[in-house]
């Protein structure tokens, strides 16, 4: 069995996960990367969807900040792999905007007045 205790000076400290709430873990993330474009709402959504591992206690989500960087890196890599084929497939099937259509109404598809 793996040793879960680490020695800090003279005393022994249990190596337990550093669990934080959503706001606290987001603030920690912002301290690590102040220029991040990931907003709090998007961060909450990732947690609620299970893309960032968490433990739920009642209404509160607890996130281990020791594993947070790896979880975000894994999410970014998996999203990049998913989106590559979609870009190629959708480029040929893009619908033309209303202004590019040859027939039809006005800019937003309204019927043009006669006269």
């Amino acid at each position: 069995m793996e040793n879960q205790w680490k020695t800090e000076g003279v005393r022994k400290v249990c190596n337990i996960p550093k669990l934080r709430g959503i706001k606290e873990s987001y603030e920690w993330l912002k301290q690590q990367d102040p220029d991040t474009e990931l907003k709090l709402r998007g961060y909450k959504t990732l947690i609620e969807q299970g893309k960032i591992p968490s433990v739920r206690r009642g209404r509160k989500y607890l996130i281990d900040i020791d594993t947070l960087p790896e979880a975000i890196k894994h999410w970014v890599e998996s999203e990049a792999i998913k989106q590559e084929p979609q870009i190629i497939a959708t480029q040929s099937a893009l619908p033309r905007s209303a202004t590019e259509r040859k027939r039809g109404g006005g800019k937003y598809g309204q019927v043009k007045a006669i006269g």
Side-chain angles (χ1 to χ4, degrees):
M1 188 165 152
E2 196 176 314
N3 188 2
Q4 295 180 349
W5 295 87
K6 62 181 179 180
T7 307
E8 226 177 65
V10 180
R11 66 182 191 161
K12 284 187 171 183
V13 180
C14 183
N15 190 14
I16 60 172
K18 296 178 183 174
L19 297 176
R20 304 290 184 266
I22 291 178
K23 288 183 183 177
E24 294 87 3
S25 63
Y26 181 73
E27 290 301 320
W28 180 85
L29 182 65
K30 290 287 281 185
Q31 288 175 356
Q32 302 302 312
D33 182 14
D35 299 329
T36 184
E37 290 294 322
L38 183 62
K39 304 297 180 212
L40 180 60
R41 183 65 226 151
Y43 181 69
K44 283 182 182 181
T45 303
L46 290 174
I47 292 168
E48 290 166 357
Q49 291 176 349
K51 310 255 183 190
I52 295 177
S54 63
V55 178
R56 192 160 181 193
R57 289 284 151 223
R59 291 178 19 169
K60 189 165 187 140
Y61 289 92
L62 300 173
I63 297 96
D64 182 4
I65 60 172
D66 289 335
T67 61
L68 184 59
E70 293 98 28
I72 291 176
K73 185 176 180 181
H74 182 272
W75 166 70
V76 169
E77 290 171 353
S78 67
E79 288 296 315
I81 291 170
K82 275 195 241 179
Q83 289 184 359
E84 281 182 33
Q86 292 175 352
I87 293 172
I88 296 169
T90 57
Q91 283 180 348
S92 61
L94 287 176
R96 296 188 312 200
S97 67
T99 57
E100 295 175 347
R101 293 186 188 125
K102 294 183 180 178
R103 300 180 333 170
K107 185 174 180 182
Y108 298 103
Q110 301 94 338
V111 176
K112 289 185 181 179
I114 299 175

